[in-house]
Amino acid sequence: DVKVTQSSRYLVKRTGEKVFLECVQDMDHENMFWYRQDPGLGLRLIYFSYDVKMKEKGDIPEGYSVSREKKERFSLILESASTNQTSMYLCASSSRYQPQHFGDGTRLSIL
Amino acid sequence: KQEVTQIPAALSVPEGENLVLNCSFTDSAIYNLQWFRQDPGKGLTSLLLIQSSQREQTSGRLNASLDKSSGRSTLYIAASQPGDSATYLCAVRPRYGGSQGNLIFGKGTKLSVKP
């Protein structure tokens, strides 16, 4: 069974902090994705990666960066957290052309 | 730009009823369409994936259909149960303009099945 693990279910940080969200998958998937989900806006793609050290911007990359040093791990970085980045963050992985598998999400609050 | 719409936004039915959830998309150039389930505070669980060349997929009490030319998909749930209560999301993978596996999501239909 595919397992996508996000390091934290709940996280509270302060404005201006540098925040790291971690995601690990155990299926040797090439593709990994970071989304945020907000009421009334649905899921929006922040960044994705189709290989180690490769990354592409999604629809809303501003204020975020990512890192993929190993195939199984994809990190989302909030360089200087702001209150408008309070949200549910979802990580997903997939093989090429195959269904995406999601983690349980990280509910991030920026105070 | 591809847009995905799900109507209704919320639906409440009595237990045992058969129901249909609707999804429409604006650009028929898609690789596939996927239906997900999301429980409150949780991630997404993939239910069914329909390739662009297919018309329908079935899994247990769930049946998803795809009419690519009209930009529509339906998720049929037979004999609904309280455990089916969740938000159901539809997503398409565009054939052009995206990268490998990128999905465009609808905003979901929140289903409540009353005992």
Side-chain angles (χ1 to χ4, degrees), chain A residues 66-80:
Chain A
V66 290
S67 172
R68 193 164 181 202
E69 297 296 319
K70 294 184 178 180
K71 193 174 185 180
E72 67 270 18
R73 186 180 296 270
F74 192 34
S75 303
L76 180 69
I77 304 157
L78 286 66
E79 298 290 345
S80 178

Side-chain angles (χ1 to χ4, degrees), chain A residues 9 37 40 45 48 97 99-100 103, chain B residues 38 41 43 93 99 101-102 107:
Chain A
R9 290 297 312 279
Q37 185 177 30
L45 182 66
F48 60 95
Y97 307 129
Q100 290 188 18
Chain B
Q38 185 176 30
R93 179 163 175 250
S99 188
N102 191 15
K107 293 179 182 177

